[in-house]
């Protein structure tokens, strides 16, 4: 029996998970998404093609790997159909390479409306949700009202759908939210027809049988550890467990069957949406990182907030996830800075601390930085670790020492090829 490796983001999402899953897929037989839904946007670049995936795992472009959408994922048939159509156009044999858990929950058009209504009612305290219906769908899952992929095959699917929509209509009227459901439903049911053409599986059996027969599995996380429903900067988080334990509950893999835990982080930090961000650079430096790093959301196009690398936050994510190896992304984006700052500690209510505390409110918490020398050279054409400038190697070693975890890959551009193994 093999163990399943897990790859996940250690910051606030968009660390470059899609790129790295694509790079690592040749080493695996199965790639499995375990949580989140179309709030995710995972970008892959190869052979001059740039592609963004939302629900479908990032192993889909490789010729042999099977891609599984696990039970912990929430699926919007409308977005799913668009993703499938785009892949089919590119010649991907989706039917042969993609399977879906019967236990995955469906995002209804009314879930999206409820997401919008909830955000509107929060006013300036809004979460900054991607408005894909994620929160309301997980609420119905834990509230035991949800519709699942397996229900599509049942005789009473339409009735179940209608019963849930009636509940949602009551909630929407409570919010005094205006909408036109009749406009949204045809595309949703078209998406259901597309879904029906794919293989629905009991993914817990599928994966455990595969591991028993020696197949190698990589679980692909969405969002990031600091957006986790339990351990993120609540309430400014997403509605699922983005951390490693989410791979167990979101796929049906037992904790003792987890192998390597690969943590992905950017050489700096970004966040999109509201919520605390201790090292945020709300100035020209932050704007420079945003422009060079093209830090605009893959799903919503929103400008991402940017800031320096935050070691206490990284250590926290490594601890919660049991990270065994790190991969540092977007090193090339910092190539034009004379000096770089790294947050090593916080001042928390007048006390210097080296861990991420409960309350990240800037009223109580301010970052303490160390300044290091930048590398000031273009990295994007490098192919070997020996080419890396001394200052970059020092930056990497500094982080490795601070978090006691090895960095095994350094990414120096969005393309598959711009990846340096150490
Ligand atoms: P994900 O959600 O974690 O998969 O990340 P996203 O795809 O949302 O955002 C990462 C962005 O950075 C994408 O536009 C990638 O193409 C890009 N990217 C990934 N790695 C690198 C890198 O090393 N350098 C640069 N410049 N861009 C990168
Ligand atoms: P990937 O997988 C970055 C953020 C939203 C918002 C909060 C809640 O591409 O890294 P939600 O739509 O879940 O209700 O939004 O979480 N968010 C992400 N930020 N990357 C993501 O996914 C995200 N998915 C959700 O911006 O602040
Ligand atoms: Mg993303």
């Amino acid at each position: 029996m093999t163990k399943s490796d897990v790859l996940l983001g250690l910051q606030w999402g968009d660390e470059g998970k899609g790129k790295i899953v694509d790079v690592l897929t040749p080493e695996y037989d199965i790639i499995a998404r375990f949580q989140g839904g179309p709030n995710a946007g995972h970008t892959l670049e190869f052979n001059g093609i740039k592609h963004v995936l939302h629900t479908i795992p990032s192993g889909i472009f490789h010729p042999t790997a099977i891609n599984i959408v696990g039970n912990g994922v929430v699926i919007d048939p409308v977005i799913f159909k668009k993703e499938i159509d785009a892949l089919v156009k590119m010649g991907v044999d989706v039917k042969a390479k993609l399977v879906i858990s019967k236990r995955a929950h469906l995002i209804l058009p009314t879930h999206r409306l409820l997401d919008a209504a909830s955000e509107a009612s929060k006013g300036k305290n809004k979460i900054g949700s991607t408005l894909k219906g994620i929160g309301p769908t997980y609420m119905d899952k834990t509230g035991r009202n949800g519709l699942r992929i397996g229900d599509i095959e049942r005789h009473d699917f339409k009735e179940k759908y209608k019963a849930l929509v009636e509940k949602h209509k009551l909630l929407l009227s409570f919010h005094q939210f205006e909408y036109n459901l009749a406009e949204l439903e045809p595309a949703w049911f078209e998406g259901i027809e597309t879904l029906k053409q794919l293989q629905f599986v009991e993914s817990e059996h599928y994966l455990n049988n595969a591991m028993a027969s020696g197949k190698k599995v990589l679980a692909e996380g969405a969002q990031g550890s600091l957006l986790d429903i339990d351990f993120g900067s609540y309430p400014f988080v997403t509605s699922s467990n983005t951390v490693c334990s989410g791979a167990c509950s979101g796929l049906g893999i037992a904790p003792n069957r987890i192998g390597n835990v690969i943590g992905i982080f950017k050489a700096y930090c970004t966040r999109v949406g509201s919520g605390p961000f201790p090292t945020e650079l709300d100035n020209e430096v932050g704007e420079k990182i945003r422009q060079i790093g093209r830090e605009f959301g893959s799903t919503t196009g929103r400008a991402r907030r940017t800031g320096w690398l935050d070691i206490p936050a990284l250590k926290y994510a490594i601890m919660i996830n049991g990270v065994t190896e790190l991969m540092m992304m977007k090193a090339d984006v910092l190539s034009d800075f004379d000096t770089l700052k790294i947050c090593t500690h916080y001042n928390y209510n007048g006390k210097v601390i080296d861990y991420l505390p409960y309350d990240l409110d800037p009223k109580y918490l301010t970052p303490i930085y160390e300044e290091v020398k930048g590398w000031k050279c273009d990295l994007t054409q490098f192919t070997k670790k020996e080419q890396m400038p001394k200052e970059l190697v020092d930056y990497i070693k500094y982080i490795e020492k601070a978090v006691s975890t090895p960095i095994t890959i350094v990414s120096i551009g969005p393309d598959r090829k711009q990846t340096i193994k150490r």
Side-chain angles (χ1 to χ4, degrees):
M1 181 116 176
T2 58
K3 290 195 172 186
S4 165
D5 294 340
V6 180
L7 181 148
L8 37 75
L10 299 179
Q11 296 162 323
W12 283 281
D14 303 328
E15 296 89 351
K17 300 174 290 292
K19 163 176 169 167
I20 291 295
V21 170
D22 174 60
V23 167
L24 298 180
T25 297
E27 297 171 27
Y28 291 93
D29 301 297
I30 297 174
I31 309 295
R33 267 284 297 272
F34 58 87
Q35 45 67 235
N39 48 349
H42 294 183
T43 315
L44 295 82
E45 282 194 41
F46 56 92
N47 304 338
I49 297 170
K50 177 176 165 172
H51 195 85
V52 182
L53 293 162
H54 300 287
T55 330
I56 295 173
S58 304
I60 196 74
F61 287 102
H62 285 268
T64 53
I66 296 292
N67 290 258
I68 298 190
V69 179
N71 57 278
V73 176
V74 291
I75 299 173
D76 183 337
V78 180
I79 296 175
F80 205 75
K81 179 181 186 316
K82 281 189 193 148
E83 285 194 73
I84 303 255
D85 289 349
L87 290 170
V88 168
K89 243 193 210 155
M90 292 168 81
V92 176
D93 187 357
V94 179
K95 278 187 199 165
K97 293 202 303 178
L98 181 65
V99 302
I100 307 173
S101 168
K102 290 185 185 177
R103 295 182 192 274
H105 279 246
L106 284 165
I107 302 176
L108 272 56
T110 39
H111 282 131
R112 298 183 69 150
L113 296 170
L114 284 166
D115 213 356
S118 164
E119 282 286 76
S121 74
K122 287 189 164 125
K124 69 176 188 0
N125 295 321
K126 70 175 184 186
I127 309 293
S129 163
T130 60
L131 301 178
K132 303 295 177 195
I134 305 296
T137 306
Y138 279 116
M139 280 165 75
D140 271 338
K141 176 179 178 177
T142 51
R144 294 155 296 176
N145 300 314
L147 266 190
R148 299 188 290 177
I149 287 290
D151 291 326
I152 295 175
E153 292 173 324
R154 286 180 54 95
H155 67 280
D156 56 356
F157 176 62
K158 277 250 162 86
E159 282 127 69
K160 279 179 175 245
Y161 169 83
K162 278 190 192 139
L164 187 51
V165 167
E166 285 311 312
K167 267 197 189 125
H168 291 166
K169 282 182 176 167
L170 277 175
L171 290 168
L172 287 163
S173 69
F174 167 78
H175 279 290
Q176 298 183 314
F177 192 78
E178 283 184 28
Y179 60 94
N180 185 345
L181 185 57
E183 255 177 20
L184 305 173
E185 281 181 328
W188 195 80
F189 282 103
E190 249 180 67
I192 293 289
E193 290 308 311
T194 301
L195 276 165
K196 277 186 186 166
Q197 293 165 27
L198 298 172
Q199 224 193 115
F200 300 163
V201 297
E202 293 170 22
S203 58
E204 61 280 25
H205 291 301
Y206 190 103
L207 282 167
N208 281 286
N209 288 340
M211 289 195 290
S213 69
K215 297 259 192 275
K216 289 194 73 190
V217 178
L218 178 65
E220 173 179 358
Q223 289 80 56
S225 300
L226 303 178
L227 289 171
D228 180 87
I229 183 73
D230 282 284
F231 299 105
S233 41
Y234 193 88
F236 302 102
V237 293
T238 191
S239 301
S240 64
N241 279 118
T242 61
V243 296
C244 190
S245 60
C248 296
S249 53
L251 293 172
I253 292 174
N256 65 347
R257 303 255 49 96
I258 298 291
N260 287 339
V261 181
I262 303 164
I264 310 288
F265 71 102
K266 281 178 188 166
Y268 48 95
C269 283
T270 65
R271 169 163 209 169
V272 60
S274 330
F277 181 177
T279 63
E280 182 166 15
L281 291 161
D282 192 8
N283 56 22
E284 334 63 274
V285 180
E287 183 57 31
K288 185 169 164 184
I289 294 177
R290 183 177 306 115
Q291 291 307 330
I292 298 174
R294 289 187 283 155
E295 295 295 357
F296 297 90
S298 314
T299 295
T300 58
R302 292 178 293 176
R304 293 178 184 145
R305 300 154 65 192
T306 54
W308 296 120
L309 185 66
D310 185 335
I311 297 278
L314 192 59
K315 272 203 302 200
Y316 182 80
I318 291 170
M319 172 181 79
I320 299 289
N321 291 303
V323 170
T324 55
E325 63 183 288
L326 292 165
M327 298 187 180
M328 186 173 89
M329 310 302 291
K330 305 193 89 159
D332 55 298
V333 175
L334 298 183
S335 289
D336 197 38
F337 292 88
D338 293 325
T339 57
L340 305 168
K341 283 186 183 174
I342 303 177
C343 166
T344 59
H345 296 78
Y346 305 122
N347 184 324
Y348 186 51
N349 283 324
K351 232 177 99 186
V352 176
I353 60 167
D354 64 356
Y355 63 91
L356 190 78
Y358 170 77
D359 200 335
L360 304 183
D361 190 320
K363 240 198 235 137
Y364 313 114
L365 183 116
T366 46
I368 299 172
Y369 293 106
E370 190 160 317
E371 202 165 60
V372 297
K373 252 182 107 180
W375 40 91
K376 293 288 279 183
C377 84
D378 179 16
L379 310 172
T380 55
Q381 306 304 318
F382 290 173
T383 54
K384 290 195 278 292
K385 66 174 197 254
E386 290 73 23
Q387 293 169 296
M388 290 200 288
K390 178 183 178 299
E391 292 81 1
L392 173 58
V393 175
D394 288 346
Y395 192 77
I396 293 166
K397 286 191 174 158
Y398 185 100
I399 299 165
E400 286 184 316
K401 188 162 173 232
V403 303
S404 309
T405 314
I407 297 177
T408 56
I409 277 183
V410 179
S411 178
I412 50 164
D415 194 88
R416 246 183 214 170
K417 291 200 190 114
Q418 292 171 301
T419 309
I420 297 191
K421 297 208 166 106
R422 290 182 74 227

